[in-house]
Amino acid sequence: MRVLLTGGAGFVGSHIADLLRERRHDVVLLDNLLPQAHAGIPEWTTDLVRGDVRDHSLLLDLLPGVDAVCHQAAVVGHGLDPSDAPMYVLNNDHGTAVLLAAMHSAGVRRLVLASSMVVYGEGRYVCSAHGVVRPGPRLESDISAGRYEPPCPLCGASLTWDLVPEDAPLDPRSTYAATKVAQENLASAWARQAGGSVWALRYHNVYGPRMPRDTPYAGVASLFRSALQRGAAPTVLEDGRQSRDFVHVRDVALANALALETPVSGFSAVNVCSGEPHTVGDLATELSLACGGPAPLIVGGARAGDVRHVVASPDRARSSLGFQARVTFADGVKAFATDPLREPATC
């Protein structure tokens, strides 16, 4: 299969490229090397077309003969503040719209889209009295007082988190999350209008070698690792008990390869996760031990848009793609202590 891989020099994209080539696919890498993530062309990237998914003419040159597109190109992460919104929208949403238009013109009908668990906002919660409920955004006054758990919106009682299925309501709570929902909606509309097929892979907290470091757009694992390399304690917000699913980048690459190789009708979203929940504090503690560094520093507070618990159900990915994560949390975090990271970005 000939695959156009956007964001092919990136953290996730480069691992997908390696695995697709191992599986004897022909891969065309496209990346514009945004300075938020790249200090230059990474040493592990070869045969790169440097260009932008917003360049319709370039896409029409690259798409002939392509069987499927694996769309990883995006501005990711929490960012700085709402002033980032135009950059997120231009790269993530406008870029996806241009790509889909070019795919339609070129007659390419298969897409694998990098989505994210952030589309869910808060995860799935159960109230003992009211069943499954959707808590609203947490109040600054509660966070300042150290009350981090969202209460039941109907009775104010404590809630229990549960695994989030793919049919959970989408509730984006950051600019990045809003652009990911928009990407899914654009891809779903394209699939209906163009007779295309889309796997939207909702990545959970991805970590592993080649993560960008020293950038506000990096994931929490990279921020902890960067602090430890400086000899500083990793800083953990809230009380460290917020639950996540940390999935290794090589498992994410496998999910993409399986999605490219598995036919689907129309649009289908799947969680890409390890199925092994852990807290943010667990990650900081285990990484500190693996690095031989200072213990984590729990500082309270939270960033605007942060959510408390998001832990996914792996069932649909297992049944529809045959995907099951292979890298355990213990093995992945131990390796991450010495994994090579991407050189610091230039801005």
Side-chain angles (χ1 to χ4, degrees):
M1 180 187 301
R2 184 171 175 84
V3 178
L4 174 62
L5 174 59
T6 74
F11 166 44
V12 175
S14 64
H15 285 278
I16 295 172
D18 289 348
L19 183 58
L20 291 181
R21 286 167 173 158
E22 286 178 19
R23 295 166 82 100
R24 300 188 179 279
H25 295 296
D26 181 15
V27 186
V28 179
L29 301 185
L30 175 66
D31 203 301
N32 67 354
L33 301 178
L34 276 176
Q36 287 79 12
H38 300 276
I41 299 176
E43 63 185 29
W44 49 77
T45 300
T46 59
D47 301 323
L48 174 70
V49 176
R50 184 166 186 175
D52 201 303
V53 293
R54 296 170 294 178
D55 187 339
H56 189 264
S57 296
L58 173 62
L59 293 172
L60 291 181
D61 288 338
L62 296 177
L63 284 168
V66 164
D67 300 297
V69 173
C70 187
H71 184 31
Q72 307 295 313
V75 177
V76 301
H78 201 89
L80 298 172
D81 56 49
S83 65
D84 283 334
M87 176 180 63
Y88 276 103
V89 172
L90 281 170
N91 284 279
N92 297 359
D93 299 339
H94 180 63
T96 297
V98 174
L99 174 64
L100 293 171
M103 290 175 65
H104 176 64
S105 297
V108 180
R109 297 288 181 263
R110 297 181 62 186
L111 175 69
V112 174
L113 172 68
S115 187
S116 171
M117 56 89 173
V118 297
V119 300
Y120 298 121
E122 283 286 353
R124 182 180 175 92
Y125 291 85
V126 179
C127 172
S128 59
H130 297 102
V132 175
V133 294
R134 295 178 62 192
R138 295 181 295 171
L139 301 176
E140 287 187 19
S141 57
D142 284 340
I143 291 172
S144 297
R147 295 188 294 269
Y148 303 117
E149 298 290 342
C152 175
L154 300 176
C155 67
S158 298
L159 300 173
T160 302
W161 64 260
D162 198 1
L163 299 182
V164 183
E166 287 83 354
D167 60 0
L170 304 188
D171 185 18
R173 300 193 178 184
S174 68
T175 300
Y176 172 58
T179 65
K180 283 294 166 184
V181 171
Q183 282 185 301
E184 287 199 14
N185 288 335
L186 287 166
S188 179
W190 169 85
R192 289 191 297 271
Q193 293 174 310
S197 66
V198 180
W199 287 108
L201 305 184
R202 292 174 179 164
Y203 303 162
H204 285 251
N205 290 73
V206 187
Y207 73 101
R210 305 177 187 171
M211 283 190 86
R213 62 183 178 92
D214 301 330
T215 165
Y217 301 94
V220 66
S222 175
L223 299 177
F224 291 165
R225 166 76 185 275
S226 294
L228 288 162
Q229 284 188 310
R230 298 192 302 270
T235 299
V236 181
L237 298 179
E238 303 185 27
D239 57 3
R241 296 176 185 170
Q242 52 273 52
S243 301
R244 297 291 188 269
D245 187 303
F246 299 98
V247 58
H248 197 272
V249 67
R250 292 196 180 97
D251 285 325
V252 174
L254 175 61
N256 275 271
L258 292 171
L260 286 164
E261 295 166 357
T262 304
V264 66
S265 177
F267 177 93
S268 183
V270 294
N271 292 320
V272 175
C273 59
S274 71
E276 187 182 354
H278 287 276
T279 67
V280 174
D282 290 340
L283 174 66
T285 298
E286 293 306 312
L287 191 55
S288 293
L289 291 171
C291 291
L297 183 63
I298 309 297
V299 299
R303 301 172 301 181
D306 275 352
V307 297
R308 182 62 173 171
H309 303 293
V310 188
V311 178
S313 168
D315 292 345
R316 183 182 291 181
R318 184 183 302 116
S319 62
S320 61
L321 292 176
F323 170 75
Q324 186 165 356
R326 300 174 178 177
V327 181
T328 66
F329 180 79
D331 290 344
V333 173
K334 182 178 180 180
F336 187 62
T338 55
D339 278 337
L341 300 187
R342 188 177 303 270
E343 286 302 306
T346 57
C347 71

